[in-house]
């Protein structure tokens, strides 16, 4: 994933209406907390979570399998 530096870049990961809400609530994209941002993402194809949570879950399963 590319680093998100502007609110407009979020449009490829979540509905525009959600991005607009975040833009009204937060000064910068860095202020969006992980849970709110992750839950707002569109799910991956054949998935139930978006790219951020999919990555976190994948890393966690790797750690469980191969140790910390």
């Amino acid at each position: 994933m590319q680093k998100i530096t502007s609110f407009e870049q979020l449009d490829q990961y979540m509905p525009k209406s959600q991005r607009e809400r975040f833009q009204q609530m937060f000064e910068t994209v860095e202020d969006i907390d992980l849970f709110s941002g992750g839950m707002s993402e569109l799910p991956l194809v054949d998935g139930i979570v978006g790219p951020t949570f999919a990555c976190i879950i994948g890393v966690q399963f790797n750690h469980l399998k191969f140790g910390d």
Side-chain angles (χ1 to χ4, degrees), residues 1 3 9-12 14-16 23 27 29 31 33 38 40 43 48-49 56-62 65 68:
M1 282 179 81
K3 181 175 179 167
Q9 288 175 287
L10 294 174
D11 288 346
Q12 60 187 318
M14 65 182 60
K16 184 178 177 184
Q23 200 165 3
E27 191 172 323
V29 291
D31 294 335
D33 63 276
S40 298
I48 58 171
V49 295
I56 292 170
I57 292 167
V59 169
Q60 184 61 43
F61 273 105
N62 182 277
K65 183 173 182 175
D68 292 329

Side-chain angles (χ1 to χ4, degrees), residues 10-16 18-19 22 36-37 40-42:
L10 294 174
D11 288 346
Q12 60 187 318
Y13 299 107
M14 65 182 60
K16 184 178 177 184
Q18 183 60 41
R19 187 262 300 165
F22 281 145
S36 298
S40 298
E41 289 181 336
L42 298 168

Side-chain angles (χ1 to χ4, degrees), residues 17-28:
S17 59
Q18 183 60 41
R19 187 262 300 165
E20 290 170 343
R21 284 188 212 114
F22 281 145
Q23 200 165 3
Q24 291 173 354
M25 293 172 25
F26 298 108
E27 191 172 323
T28 67

